Amino acid sequence: MNIMALAFCSKKIVTGLKLVINASQRQSASQLDMLTYLINGKKVHSGNNILQTTFSDINANLLTSEEKCSNFIRYYKTISPDEQEILLCNLARNYGIDTQNVVAVLNAALSGQDRGQMQILASSERMRQALKPKFKLLFSHIGKVKDGVKFLVDLRADVLKFRQKDQTELNGVLYQELNTALRDLLLLWFTVGLLNLERITWTASCDLVEKVSMYEAVHKVKNWEDIKRRVGPYRRCYIFTHSSMPREPVVVLHTALTQEISSSIQGILRNVRLRYSSIADDQTIGKGLEYFSGLDEKNVRQSDSDNMNFNSDTEDPELVKAAIFYSITSTQKGLQGIDLGYYLIKSVVSKLKSEFPDLSQFSSLSPIPGFRDWLLLNLNRRGSEAGDPILYPSEMEALARYKWLGSSPPLDKFKHLIVSHEWYRDKELMQVMKVPLMRLCAQYLYKQKRRNLALNPVANFHLGNGAVLWRINFLADTSLNGLNRSCTMMVNYRYYLENADANSRNYLENFQINASSDVLDLLKEPK
């Protein structure tokens, strides 16, 4: 670190510490008075006692350290959420960074910067030590005791929850300090080399199957028969576990093995391969939500080319041409912002390639959370932020033909149909709505950005991994969830393995989304 860099860092640190120092000076003479005001009772004082006891000679020896950490874990688990909140603020306030020491080290470093490179290096090391909060030492020791890593993961979930709940200036800074310390440790401990890849089958231990079922966040598991199908023939369920959190899934990935890239979640979850080109026209369109809620295998005509027998205990490898990642779930709120899903997908691709050497097509079938909300927001504004029209003249004319919708303007009719889902119950109207919905969905996924990256979090995840925005599917999720979330649409993010790294760099560095010609064509004005 040269003199200019040290001076620059010093200014940044001083600026960051100013808020903490000034806010601390505004506190009452006794910080415990504020704590007692928030929660009157013995527990607050016991919290201060447990912190004093924990931090006294915490480095004395290994046994002492483990005992102190275990006592702290037990105490934290016994107190109420309100008391936990106060304890964490007290921990960050009284056992964080010694701000006066940091300022002293900074001043010493700046005054001695003309004494040569050795003095600068020594000052840099002193600064690194001064910037380590005391509670980070406690977290490091807790990670060494039994179930300590899981406790820290859950503790970070609490910190994130309390930070969002508490809007006060000082507490926001204190929670951020705790969050940063925990995140840095968890980033080190949850690297891919320390994670174990496990396949879950119906014969796996009951508790793991139950946890996989319970944690499923994308497509809820209905019953034991449902989860049995999801881990059965032509399906793969893989999880990451951590050696310090045995029998606890950290990330779960569900994959369907198919003959082609799937365009409908109904076919995957019900173990049939829906082909809307043959089904929608003569069986399903216009029959309403109640039809799909009662759909089962005998109601659905399978593709003539589909020879997969899902009731068999064996698989025909020759039929497996595509792997569809249809659900990925991070199970631990305390690991938020620590990207493990990408490494799980890479690991599963490697496993599947070794199991099925001829397998060449890899794609997600992903939900589009937020699309309907975004659409309604722009309908209220009467236009999108990008300046694109919501409806083109030809689309307005098509809606105007439906007299039963009343005499209101076309945009009001369109909004009413989106809010009420009435478009889904009329065969002809469904086809009229398909054109603008597909175009607007392409606009949402391809054009809408936040900080130069895709606004949609699922899109941002897959595009950051190097996938291509490949195909948008209409009537892909006809559940009530699918209607409320994205007007029945889902999207395929396709992984071309040979180009994935280049695509990822292009997206993350140049902010360019790689989309197929089919998706780009949807953005054009309809003829």
Side-chain angles (χ1 to χ4, degrees):
M1 180 183 290
N2 58 34
I3 296 173
M4 291 297 294
L6 181 61
F8 175 76
C9 291
S10 300
K11 292 179 181 178
K12 296 282 285 184
I13 293 169
V14 169
T15 301
L17 289 172
K18 189 179 295 182
L19 177 61
V20 178
I21 296 171
N22 290 343
S24 297
Q25 290 172 345
R26 291 196 299 268
Q27 301 299 303
S28 60
S30 171
Q31 293 170 337
L32 292 181
D33 289 342
M34 185 187 74
L35 297 177
T36 306
Y37 171 77
L38 290 172
I39 298 180
N40 284 311
K42 289 170 57 178
K43 288 289 186 180
V44 170
H45 297 290
S46 297
N48 290 307
N49 289 337
I50 192 73
L51 291 176
Q52 292 171 4
T53 303
T54 300
F55 280 94
S56 63
D57 296 327
I58 193 171
N59 280 325
N61 57 67
L62 184 60
L63 290 177
T64 300
S65 170
E66 289 185 356
E67 183 180 1
K68 289 177 181 292
C69 291
S70 298
N71 289 339
F72 179 85
I73 292 173
R74 279 194 296 271
Y75 174 79
Y76 185 86
K77 290 181 176 180
T78 62
I79 60 179
S80 70
D82 285 339
E83 292 164 332
Q84 290 173 347
E85 188 175 357
I86 295 301
L87 178 67
L88 290 175
C89 276
N90 199 19
L91 173 65
R93 184 183 293 107
N94 296 330
Y95 299 93
I97 296 172
D98 186 339
T99 54
Q100 293 182 346
N101 183 40
V102 170
V103 172
V105 172
L106 279 173
N107 291 332
L110 291 173
S111 64
Q113 58 183 307
D114 56 349
R115 298 179 186 173
Q117 186 71 12
M118 290 299 294
Q119 180 64 32
I120 293 174
L121 292 174
S123 298
S124 299
E125 178 57 29
R126 284 194 294 271
M127 178 57 64
R128 276 192 290 269
Q129 295 302 319
L131 287 172
K132 284 183 180 179
K134 296 177 183 177
F135 53 71
K136 191 168 185 178
L137 177 64
L138 171 63
F139 296 157
S140 299
H141 283 304
I142 287 177
K144 300 172 186 177
V145 304
K146 187 178 186 300
D147 299 326
V149 172
K150 179 66 168 75
F151 173 79
L152 292 176
V153 171
D154 294 339
L155 185 68
R156 182 167 182 250
D158 288 344
V159 168
L160 293 172
K161 177 180 66 177
F162 295 146
R163 185 183 66 174
Q164 186 176 19
K165 172 185 170 185
D166 195 327
Q167 300 299 317
T168 59
E169 184 182 43
L170 175 60
N171 287 353
V173 174
L174 295 176
Y175 284 131
Q176 185 55 40
E177 287 185 0
L178 291 171
N179 176 47
T180 300
L182 287 166
R183 184 197 61 203
D184 290 348
L185 287 173
L186 295 175
L187 274 170
L188 289 173
W189 295 340
F190 282 83
T191 57
V192 66
L194 300 177
L195 297 173
N196 307 308
L197 180 67
E198 297 182 37
R199 180 184 170 189
I200 302 299
T201 66
W202 186 240
T203 58
S205 61
C206 186
D207 65 316
L208 274 179
V209 175
E210 185 177 13
K211 285 179 180 179
V212 166
S213 176
M214 178 182 65
Y215 283 136
E216 174 58 30
V218 184
H219 305 289
K220 292 294 185 183
V221 176
K222 297 177 180 178
N223 49 45
W224 280 109
E225 188 64 29
D226 189 7
I227 189 63
K228 183 177 181 181
R229 287 195 299 265
R230 298 192 195 193
V231 299
Y234 299 104
R235 299 291 181 265
R236 294 294 183 272
C237 176
Y238 280 98
I239 65 172
F240 266 154
T241 60
H242 192 278
S243 55
S244 295
M245 294 169 55
R247 315 196 67 74
E248 182 65 42
V250 174
V251 190
V252 182
L253 176 65
H254 285 278
T255 305
L257 304 177
T258 62
Q259 291 179 297
E260 56 193 13
I261 295 179
S262 303
S263 60
S264 160
I265 196 62
Q266 282 82 226
I268 289 176
L269 296 184
R270 299 180 186 279
N271 284 333
V272 288
R273 308 271 309 293
L274 290 183
R275 193 172 63 173
Y276 272 102
S277 59
S278 64
I279 296 171
D281 291 340
D282 56 7
Q283 289 190 31
T284 62
I285 286 183
K287 292 198 176 183
L289 292 173
E290 67 279 358
Y291 178 77
F292 281 98
S293 65
L295 191 66
D296 59 26
E297 293 181 25
K298 68 175 182 285
N299 295 116
V300 182
R301 186 171 75 229
Q302 290 177 277
S303 166
D304 293 336
S305 64
D306 188 359
N307 299 313
M308 292 181 171
N309 180 5
F310 295 102
N311 296 318
S312 170
D313 291 332
T314 60
E315 298 170 337
D316 184 351
E318 304 238 341
L319 296 177
V320 177
K321 305 298 182 185
I324 311 301
F325 312 122
Y326 68 90
S327 173
I328 184 164
T329 302
S330 179
T331 66
Q332 309 294 318
K333 293 181 180 179
L335 295 178
Q336 177 182 311
I338 299 175
D339 186 10
L340 302 177
Y342 166 69
Y343 297 105
L344 180 55
I345 289 177
K346 283 189 68 173
S347 300
V348 170
V349 166
S350 179
K351 280 281 187 182
L352 293 176
K353 286 286 287 181
S354 63
E355 188 178 1
F356 304 99
D358 295 331
L359 181 61
S360 59
Q361 299 179 83
F362 298 91
S363 174
S364 77
L365 180 61
S366 300
I368 313 174
F371 167 65
R372 182 170 174 267
D373 292 339
W374 170 85
L375 178 55
L376 290 173
L377 177 64
N378 283 284
L379 279 166
N380 290 333
R381 292 173 174 167
R382 288 299 192 262
S384 71
E385 294 178 358
D388 298 305
I390 293 179
L391 294 178
Y392 283 103
S394 61
E395 296 165 340
M396 293 185 184
E397 291 174 11
L399 278 177
R401 294 197 298 267
Y402 292 88
K403 304 300 183 184
W404 57 269
L405 288 173
S407 58
S408 56
L411 284 179
D412 290 340
K413 292 179 181 179
F414 189 67
K415 179 182 175 181
H416 169 73
L417 291 170
I418 297 299
V419 171
S420 66
H421 304 315
E422 286 184 18
W423 66 271
Y424 181 74
R425 297 176 172 87
D426 185 287
K427 176 179 177 179
E428 292 182 359
L429 187 54
M430 188 182 292
Q431 296 305 313
V432 170
M433 292 289 285
K434 177 180 178 180
V435 176
L437 284 176
M438 291 280 280
R439 175 178 53 77
L440 289 164
C441 188
Q443 179 184 318
Y444 171 68
L445 294 174
Y446 186 74
K447 290 187 175 182
Q448 297 303 308
K449 303 286 186 71
R450 177 186 289 137
R451 298 175 182 171
N452 296 318
L453 299 176
L455 174 66
N456 183 267
V458 180
N460 185 53
F461 170 76
H462 287 290
L463 294 170
N465 292 344
V468 173
L469 178 55
W470 189 67
R471 184 175 68 194
I472 298 172
N473 306 294
F474 190 61
L475 298 180
D477 183 357
T478 54
S479 67
L480 184 58
N481 237 6
L483 276 164
N484 287 331
R485 186 163 49 194
S486 56
C487 303
T488 77
M489 285 179 289
M490 299 185 76
V491 57
N492 297 117
Y493 298 102
R494 186 165 178 180
Y495 286 83
Y496 295 95
L497 302 183
E498 65 277 10
N499 299 325
D501 289 341
N503 289 341
S504 177
R505 285 194 301 271
N506 196 33
Y507 175 70
L508 296 174
E509 296 173 8
N510 302 321
F511 313 119
Q512 294 183 358
I513 294 177
N514 195 343
S516 69
S517 58
D518 288 345
V519 171
L520 296 177
D521 287 343
L522 290 173
L523 296 169
K524 299 175 182 176
E525 180 176 355
K527 296 180 180 178

